[in-house]
Amino acid sequence: MVESDPGHVIESCLIMTSNNNATECYVYVTLPGETDFVTAAKFQLTIDRRGISIGRLIYGRSYLARDNAVSIDPIELGLSDKTYTTTRLNGIFGALRDASPDCWGRRIIEKHCGKTELGEMDYLLFSPDDRAGALGFGLNQEPPAPLQQFNQTMDLERLQEFADAIIHDENLPEGIEVEQVQDVMLAGTSMGGARPKVVVEDEDGFWVAKLNRPDDKWNYTRVEHAMLKLGRECGLHTAASKITTIGGRDVLLVKRFDREKTDKGYRRARMLSALTLLRAEDNAENREKWSYVLLAEELRRISSQPKADAQELFRRMCFNALISNTDDHPRNHAVIAIGLDWILSPAYDLTPTPLISEEHRDLALVCGDMGRYANAKNLLSQSARFLLELNEAKKIIDDIEETIKHRWYEIARREGVTEQDCTRISKAFNYSGFRLNTHTEN
Ligand SMILES: Nc1ncnc2c1ncn2[C@@H]1O[C@H](COP(=O)(O)OP(=O)(O)O)[C@@H](O)[C@H]1O
Ligand SMILES: [Mg+2]
């Protein structure tokens, strides 16, 4: 199957989904330094008599025999000839799930398959080549040739129109055929996340293009761009971004940190979300493992620069607490391996939430002894787990607090956030509960 022809991919998906019988697939990986896929493993998904989904993965013998083979997930799926099994995440190993779309991409796939109930395997197989990380999936043992053509930044106006139609579940704009949408939207929606987005390419490489929704309460794209800049000023390593204005609407372009353009094509970094590192489930009812403290421990195990990364994670936790980024769930943190070594990825998806409570705000992940409480004393309570001395941790908190206090507004305005939007988001910054009960001890 030649996947560089999007029509071909769609056709095969429709066959698979109408039969609903795809229970196994091959897992391909782009090895460090390479630009083409090789076949790494076989993945099988079955449902047992109790209705529980079980995933099984086995590396191919010839893959294991390569001296440059890398694991799909060094902790859960180390290179070995054994059969790995899982029932977590509906039988989809975290590393594979991380390469699968979330709400937004799923919605588009469903729309084009004409079905709302697709299996996890369908989502894996249907997503095209520009998914996050270095993995690919297919029904053929032979991996597909890499895609040669991608949406370009200049296609954004059309993509934006399509996205609007999908958000409103509307008919497509006049003169646009469903097939056209399939071609352009599917090639670009395998990234995760809930907000509308597409992947586009320009001469510098790949970008995640995040679109405003017509029903947004403020200009999200400009605000997110400003937060990435503010984060950098607070000492965080954030993804590179820029704003482009298309048809009078702002689009946030975030540079993909898992792709590297070369003369031969794109190198790909392997990528694992924090959800996978934590071996956690992805629903809020089942979140006992959602924790920065546990994540710091996992990061120390996997990272080739454990101290720097644990401390960077601490900084991100403080930053999120101080901008009330309560959407800091485990899919909004990741590790990447461009070569053999794993490191914390640049920070992305930083969004302030202007909540009403001035005393108590919770982040999505546990930050310390007082749970998810976005509070300085709580953040300090486990700072040793982030390989920080108490005085170092205090200084990080104080510095980030000061920078946000003095700089958020200026940076937001500089990056084009309107006065009105600044007023709308202002309550997100330095809320008073952050320092509650801490003055005497600190
Ligand atoms: N700059 C980037 N490079 C590579 N992958 C990214 C980048 N930004 C986001 N991602 C991946 O895409 C997913 C969705 O992006 P995100 O910004 O979190 O969107 P949303 O606001 O919809 O949650 C992330 O969970 C991550 O896996
Ligand atoms: Mg996200």
Side-chain angles (χ1 to χ4, degrees):
M1 186 171 82
V2 184
E3 281 201 359
S4 49
D5 166 10
H8 208 114
V9 183
I10 291 155
E11 199 180 312
S12 65
C13 159
L14 292 177
I15 295 165
M16 278 171 337
T17 52
S18 58
N19 294 340
N20 240 355
N21 60 0
T23 58
E24 54 180 45
C25 69
Y26 290 93
V27 183
Y28 317 120
V29 67
T30 308
L31 293 167
E34 300 294 326
T35 53
D36 289 350
F37 279 134
V38 297
T39 305
K42 200 167 189 181
F43 174 63
Q44 191 186 52
L45 186 64
T46 52
I47 301 180
D48 76 4
R49 273 178 293 131
R50 296 161 299 165
I52 295 174
S53 298
I54 304 170
R56 290 188 180 80
L57 183 133
I58 181 156
Y59 285 107
R61 244 180 271 145
S62 54
Y63 183 71
L64 290 173
R66 284 175 169 275
D67 48 15
N68 60 349
V70 291
S71 65
I72 292 170
D73 172 343
I75 312 274
E76 189 174 31
L77 301 169
L79 287 176
S80 152
D81 60 2
K82 68 180 174 201
T83 302
Y84 291 99
T85 62
T86 188
T87 52
R88 231 182 304 122
L89 297 172
N90 296 321
I92 308 284
F93 290 93
L96 310 192
R97 180 63 186 78
D98 288 338
S100 190
D102 291 330
C103 315
W104 173 250
R106 285 173 183 234
R107 194 155 160 197
I108 289 171
I109 292 172
E110 287 157 10
K111 193 148 178 94
H112 298 300
C113 284
K115 286 187 171 194
T116 49
E117 297 271 316
L118 291 172
E120 284 293 330
M121 190 68 106
D122 298 320
Y123 294 118
L124 270 187
L125 286 166
F126 203 88
S127 319
D129 207 16
D130 48 13
R131 63 179 79 241
L135 302 185
F137 306 92
L139 296 176
N140 287 0
Q141 184 159 10
E142 204 46 41
L147 266 186
Q148 300 297 338
Q149 283 189 327
F150 300 94
N151 286 318
Q152 302 295 303
T153 35
M154 62 198 174
D155 301 324
L156 273 168
E157 182 153 15
R158 207 161 46 124
L159 293 164
Q160 201 162 245
E161 272 181 31
F162 295 161
D164 284 351
I166 287 164
I167 289 165
H168 295 303
D169 217 8
E170 276 169 1
N171 291 331
L172 294 165
E174 191 99 354
I176 294 171
E177 302 296 325
V178 168
E179 290 73 27
Q180 270 180 284
V181 183
Q182 286 174 340
D183 284 0
V184 295
M185 286 302 274
L186 283 172
T189 49
S190 49
M191 304 297 286
R195 295 208 37 99
K197 64 179 72 57
V198 289
V199 173
V200 288
E201 188 191 32
D202 68 10
E203 61 284 358
D204 296 328
F206 271 131
W207 302 81
V208 182
K210 298 186 74 172
L211 312 172
N212 275 325
R213 290 177 56 112
D215 54 353
D216 281 338
K217 294 204 183 80
W218 56 84
N219 187 332
Y220 266 66
T221 59
R222 278 216 186 251
V223 169
E224 187 171 334
H225 174 63
M227 291 306 106
L228 290 166
K229 298 278 181 204
L230 178 62
R232 195 161 307 166
E233 209 153 309
C234 291
L236 270 58
H237 180 203
T238 59
S241 65
K242 61 184 182 188
I243 293 282
T244 178
T245 306
I246 311 276
R249 287 166 65 181
D250 293 328
V251 176
L252 169 64
L253 296 174
V254 189
K255 189 79 201 294
R256 279 189 67 170
F257 45 71
D258 60 339
R259 289 290 186 278
E260 194 182 287
K261 198 170 180 172
T262 72
D263 292 344
K264 285 196 308 173
Y266 281 96
R267 290 199 187 120
R268 300 165 181 233
R270 285 172 289 158
M271 189 162 159
L272 296 173
S273 70
L275 193 81
T276 295
L277 287 185
L278 291 165
R279 312 294 155 206
E281 290 289 342
D282 61 354
N283 52 55
E285 296 84 60
N286 231 326
R287 62 198 291 168
E288 58 285 340
K289 290 193 195 152
W290 289 21
S291 159
Y292 280 109
V293 183
L294 293 177
L295 182 56
E297 304 274 337
E298 292 304 329
L299 200 51
R300 286 164 54 186
R301 275 172 79 192
I302 196 172
S303 171
S304 60
Q305 43 182 52
K307 189 160 183 183
D309 278 354
Q311 297 188 354
E312 168 80 14
L313 184 66
F314 184 81
R315 257 181 242 117
R316 291 185 193 178
M317 172 174 80
C318 299
F319 181 80
N320 287 337
L322 282 157
I323 69 158
S324 304
N325 176 17
T326 53
D327 190 37
D328 58 334
H329 59 75
R331 284 214 169 94
N332 280 336
H333 304 274
V335 288
I336 52 171
I338 294 163
L340 294 176
D341 292 340
W342 290 89
I343 51 166
L344 188 63
S345 81
Y348 55 90
D349 204 4
L350 303 176
T351 43
T353 317
L355 297 165
I356 293 172
S357 168
E358 273 301 320
E359 286 196 357
H360 191 113
R361 295 180 185 179
D362 278 336
L363 295 182
L365 275 67
V366 166
C367 326
D369 296 345
M370 289 182 274
R372 298 187 284 126
Y373 190 15
N375 169 279
K377 189 176 176 189
N378 192 28
L379 304 186
L380 283 172
S381 67
Q382 291 287 338
S383 53
R385 308 272 284 274
F386 297 84
L387 304 177
L388 285 162
E389 301 291 338
L390 194 59
N391 59 340
E392 290 175 313
K394 280 182 181 169
K395 178 154 178 12
I396 290 175
I397 293 182
D398 292 348
D399 288 350
I400 294 181
E401 187 177 33
E402 281 303 294
T403 306
I404 293 178
K405 195 171 176 183
H406 297 297
R407 296 288 291 145
W408 82 262
Y409 173 78
E410 221 171 296
I411 291 176
R413 293 291 288 134
R414 184 190 74 199
E415 300 302 334
V417 178
T418 62
E419 193 62 52
Q420 210 177 24
D421 279 354
C422 281
T423 307
R424 289 191 178 111
I425 60 172
S426 64
K427 287 218 166 339
F429 304 100
N430 303 76
Y431 89 112
S432 47
F434 184 76
R435 283 291 179 183
L436 211 64
N437 292 329
T438 63
H439 291 298
T440 47
E441 283 114 306
N442 299 324

